[in-house]
C-alpha cells in the first residue's frame, strides 16, 4: 500500500511530490489531464517565437519569497516584465485609444525565460517517471479506517488505488463537484469548498506572437485597458521576450464565458480586431493562441461560471486542516495561508502538507514501535518545547540584529546573528532532552544511530528554511537595516554561505543529540 497519493499535477502537487521524494517518502502523483501543470500551460517558444503563457505568467519576488527561492533553486532564469511606455485606454467602441497618466501596471513582476512551463518541467524533472500517472481521474474516495481507497478512471477504465494518506491538490470547488466521498464530508466543509472561488477559472487568455515588439518603437508599453460595453479584451499587456524579440501581446477576455461560447466561430477574429484597434493594423497579423479556461472541466466548475469572479481568501482554517483522522488533506493554491490563488499560494499549500506528512511519519501516536510507544509523553513534550523555540527564533534574531547595530557590528551581521539564533535553539533542545525521563530499554542502535533519534529530530523539520525565510522578510522591510544593502537583500553568494553554516550546525546538533542518547543507553546498560 502506498503511503501518500497526490491528486493533481499542478504546481502544488508537483512541489509536494518533490518534497516527499527528497525525504525518501513513498508516494504516487495522479493527474486527470494528459499533461502536467494544471492551470500553468505554455506554448513552447524558439529563437523566432516567444513562449506563450496561457495560464499564469508572473511572480513578484518582493512579496512571493517561495517562488523567488524555487526559481533560484531550480536554476531557472527570470526577467522583469516590460512595463515602460505609454499605457492606452479605449473607453468607446468606435473611438481611438487615449493615453493614461499612470506609468506602470505590473510593478516588479518577473517572468521566466521559456515561459512558466519551465517551472513545471523543472519540478517534474526531479521526480522518477514511475511516480507519475497521467489520464487518471479520481471519482470516489472511501475512508477504510486505516487507509483511503481511491476509485478512478484511467483512460476510461476503472482503477482502484489505496493509500494511508490522500492529498487533493485541486481547487476546492473541483473537489466538491467532481469527487464522491464515503462517508460524505460535513455540510459546513462542503459549503466552504463551494464558496471558495477558483482563481481565473472562468477567464480566457490570448497570446498573439510577432517577430518584433513594433509598438515599443512608438513609445507604447503594450499595456492597455478597454472599458466600453463591447470590449472583447479588457486588459492587454506586453508578452514579449526579455528584449522584445521575439514578441507578443497578451490579453484577458472581457466577455463572459457564455458570450464567448456564442461567438466561438468569430471569437479569434474579434481578438485580432481588438489588438488592431489599439496598436494598429500590424497587430492583427499575429499568430494567435487562446485558452478558454471556462471550457476546461478539470479547472472550472458550474459555480465558477454562475458566481461573480472573486479572489480566494488567505488562511481559511477548514481548508488547511487534515480530515478523516489525518488521512485526507486539501491542497491547491486556494487553500494557502498566504497568496491564495497565486503560484506562491500553491507552494505555500504544498509546504504545509509536506510538514504535516513528515510529522505524521514520526508521530509516536501512529507508531507501534515499542521504543516510541514507551516514550510518547517525552516525545510530545520535546516537540512542544521545540515548537516554542521555533516560534521565538525570529524575535531572538531581531533582538540580535538590534544589538549588532548598536555595537556597530555591521559586516555579515545577518549570518552571525542567524548562527547565534540557531545555536541557541539547538542548545536549548539538548538541555530539554537531558531533562526528559526517557525509557531506553527498548531503543535500538543501527549503524551508530539510536532508533529514537529521527523522531526527536523531526521536531526541527524545515526549521532552518523557515527561519531563513522569516529573516529575509524582516530584513527586506527593516528600516534599521536600510543603510546596509547587502544585509537588506541577501545575494546568492551570501545566502549560500549562510546555508552552508546552518547545514553544518544542523549536522553537529544531530550528532550531539544522538551521542547524548547513546551515552544514556550506556548508563542504563551498566549494572548497579
Amino acid at each position: 500500500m502506498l503511503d501518500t497519493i497526490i491528486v493533481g499535477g499542478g504546481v502544488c502537487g508537483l512541489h509536494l511530490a518533490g518534497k516527499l521524494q527528497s525525504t525518501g517518502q513513498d508516494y504516487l502523483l495522479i493527474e486527470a489531464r494528459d499533461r502536467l501543470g494544471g492551470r500553468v500551460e505554455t506554448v513552447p517558444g524558439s529563437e523566432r517565437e516567444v513562449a506563450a503563457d496561457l495560464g499564469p505568467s508572473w511572480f513578484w519576488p518582493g512579496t512571493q519569497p517561495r517562488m523567488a527561492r524555487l526559481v533560484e533553486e531550480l536554476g531557472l532564469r527570470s526577467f522583469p516584465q516590460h512595463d515602460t511606455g505609454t499605457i492606452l485606454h479605449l473607453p468607446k467602441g468606435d473611438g481611438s485609444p487615449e493615453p493614461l497618466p499612470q506609468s506602470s501596471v505590473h510593478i516588479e513582476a518577473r517572468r521566466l525565460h521559456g515561459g512558466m512551463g519551465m517551472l513545471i518541467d523543472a519540478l517534474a524533472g526531479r521526480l522518477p517517471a514511475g511516480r507519475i500517472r497521467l489520464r487518471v481521474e479520481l471519482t470516489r474516495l472511501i475512508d477504510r479506517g486505516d487507509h483511503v481507497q481511491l476509485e478512478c478512471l484511467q483512460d476510461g477504465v476503472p482503477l482502484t488505488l489505496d493509500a494511508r494518506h490522500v492529498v487533493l491538490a485541486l481547487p476546492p470547488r473541483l473537489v466538491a463537484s467532481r469527487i464522491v466521498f464515503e462517508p460524505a464530508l460535513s455540510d459546513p466543509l462542503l459549503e466552504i469548498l463551494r464558496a471558495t472561488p477558483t482563481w481565473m477559472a472562468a477567464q480566457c487568455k490570448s497570446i498573439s506572437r510577432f517577430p518584433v515588439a513594433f509598438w515599443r518603437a512608438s513609445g507604447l508599453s503594450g499595456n492597455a485597458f478597454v472599458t466600453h460595453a463591447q470590449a472583447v479584451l479588457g486588459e492587454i499587456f506586453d508578452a514579449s521576450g526579455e528584449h522584445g524579440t521575439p514578441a507578443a501581446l497578451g490579453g484577458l477576455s472581457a466577455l463572459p464565458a457564455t458570450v464567448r461560447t456564442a461567438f466561438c466561430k468569430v471569437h479569434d477574429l474579434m481578438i485580432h480586431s481588438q489588438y488592431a484597434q489599439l496598436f494598429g493594423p500590424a497587430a492583427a497579423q499575429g499568430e494567435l493562441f487562446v485558452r478558454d479556461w471556462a471550457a476546461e472541466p478539470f479547472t472550472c466548475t458550474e459555480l465558477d461560471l454562475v458566481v461573480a469572479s472573486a479572489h480566494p481568501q488567505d488562511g481559511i482554517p477548514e481548508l488547511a486542516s487534515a480530515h478523516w483522522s489525518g488521512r485526507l488533506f486539501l491542497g491547491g493554491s486556494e487553500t494557502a495561508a498566504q497568496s491564495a490563488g497565486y503560484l506562491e499560494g500553491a507552494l505555500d499549500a504544498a509546504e504545509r502538507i509536506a510538514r504535516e506528512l513528515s510529522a505524521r511519519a514520526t508521530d509516536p501516536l501512529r507508531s507501534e514501535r515499542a521504543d516510541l510507544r514507551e516514550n510518547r509523553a517525552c516525545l510530545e513534550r520535546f516537540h512542544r518545547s521545540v515548537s516554542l523555540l521555533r516560534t521565538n527564533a525570529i524575535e531572538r534574531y531581531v533582538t540580535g540584529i538590534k544589538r549588532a547595530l548598536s555595537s556597530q557590528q555591521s559586516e555579515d551581521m545577518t549570518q552571525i546573528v542567524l548562527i547565534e539564533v540557531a545555536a541557541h535553539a539547538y542548545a536549548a533542545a539538548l538541555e530539554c532532552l537531558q531533562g526528559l525521563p526517557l525509557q531506553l530499554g527498548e531503543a535500538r542502535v543501527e549503524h551508530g544511530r539510536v532508533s529514537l533519534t529521527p523522531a526527536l529530530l523531526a521536531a526541527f523539520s524545515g526549521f532552518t528554511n523557515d527561519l531563513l525565510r522569516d529573516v529575509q522578510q524582516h530584513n527586506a522591510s527593516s528600516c534599521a537595516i536600510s543603510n546596509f544593502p547587502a544585509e537588506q537583500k541577501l545575494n546568492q553568494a551570501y545566502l549560500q554561505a549562510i546555508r552552508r553554516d546552518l547545514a553544518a550546525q544542523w549536522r553537529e546538533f544531530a550528532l550531539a543529540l544522538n551521542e547524548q542518547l547513546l551515552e544514556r543507553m550506556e548508563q542504563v546498560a551498566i549494572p548497579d
Side-chain angles (χ1 to χ4, degrees), residues 350-368:
E351 291 173 10
R352 161 179 55 84
I353 296 170
R355 288 193 298 269
E356 293 193 31
L357 289 173
S358 178
R360 289 174 185 276
T362 54
D363 184 353
L365 298 177
R366 295 181 64 247
S367 177
E368 295 302 321

Side-chain angles (χ1 to χ4, degrees), residues 1 5 138-152 159-166 179-182 324 327:
M1 181 188 300
I5 291 181
L138 174 64
T139 59
R140 185 184 301 268
L141 283 178
I142 305 171
D143 186 357
R144 295 299 188 188
D146 62 342
H147 72 281
V148 179
Q149 186 175 86
L150 299 85
E151 293 186 1
C152 310
L159 170 69
T160 299
L161 299 169
D162 297 283
R164 296 180 182 87
H165 307 99
V166 171
I179 303 171
V180 176
F181 293 84
E182 296 182 12
W324 284 2
R327 289 182 288 278

